[in-house]
Amino acid sequence: MSTCSSPLVTVVIATYNRAETLKYAIESVLWQTYKNFELWVVGDCCTDKTEEVVRLFCRDPRVNWYNLPQNSGYQSKPNNEGILRGKGEYIAYLNHDDIWLPNHLEDHVRHLRLTDADISFSVIQWIYSKTESKPDIPLLPNLPIPP
């Protein structure tokens, strides 16, 4: 499934009873400009409506759901389960209450391929108020603000 120019990326979202925010995280993965990914949403023995939320997206064959039978209480257990189930050349983590910009995976895969790096990460936070919204990029304070 993976090709030299377009390697498969396994995206892992570990979650525990966060059905109300999970939808947005999943949507931000599905809106990626880089399309060769599989998404594993792994619940830490979720008991709320998390499974119902994930099932809404399972029409897309790239979306997968697994709920651990016992709560571990740690994010590492569902993350590791997602890695075990995934088949990607690269692994990307997304927290259940975060979202990605549409070019997130494309930019990371391009960087990894061009530099032969073993790991990449991004640092950004958005500051919202009633009057404005702007990115705050701590490591790159002079970066131009996107339109």
Side-chain angles (χ1 to χ4, degrees):
M1 182 177 252
S2 180
T3 66
C4 288
S5 63
S6 183
L8 180 66
V9 176
T10 296
V11 178
V12 178
I13 300 177
T15 189
Y16 178 68
N17 290 349
R18 292 300 298 266
E20 70 281 357
T21 62
L22 184 60
K23 171 184 185 268
Y24 303 106
I26 294 171
E27 285 176 341
S28 79
V29 174
L30 295 176
W31 75 16
Q32 292 299 297
T33 55
Y34 189 87
K35 302 298 184 189
N36 194 20
F37 65 83
E38 61 177 348
L39 170 60
W40 278 97
V41 181
V42 182
D44 194 11
C45 194
C46 294
T47 57
D48 68 348
K49 295 184 179 195
T50 298
E51 182 171 359
E52 291 175 37
V53 170
V54 178
R55 294 278 179 224
L56 293 172
F57 296 97
C58 284
R59 293 182 303 269
D60 187 318
R62 299 172 297 178
V63 178
N64 303 279
W65 162 249
Y66 181 74
N67 199 20
L68 293 170
Q70 184 174 359
N71 180 266
S72 71
Y74 298 98
Q75 187 172 356
S76 58
K77 180 77 172 169
N79 276 340
N80 289 338
E81 186 68 34
I83 292 170
L84 288 172
R85 292 173 176 272
K87 297 177 178 71
E89 181 176 341
Y90 296 119
I91 298 162
Y93 296 109
L94 176 62
N95 290 334
H96 57 193
D97 57 355
D98 290 340
I99 59 172
W100 282 340
L101 295 172
N103 60 328
H104 181 84
L105 287 178
E106 183 177 356
D107 287 350
H108 281 272
V109 169
R110 182 184 316 109
H111 175 76
L112 289 165
R113 298 305 253 190
L114 288 174
T115 64
D116 203 28
D118 294 323
I119 188 170
S120 71
F121 66 95
S122 54
V123 179
I124 187 169
Q125 69 180 15
W126 284 85
I127 300 172
Y128 292 100
S129 73
K130 291 183 179 182
T131 58
E132 69 176 297
S133 172
K134 64 177 184 162
D136 176 30
I137 306 170
L139 299 177
L140 302 169
N142 298 322
L143 190 71
I145 295 175

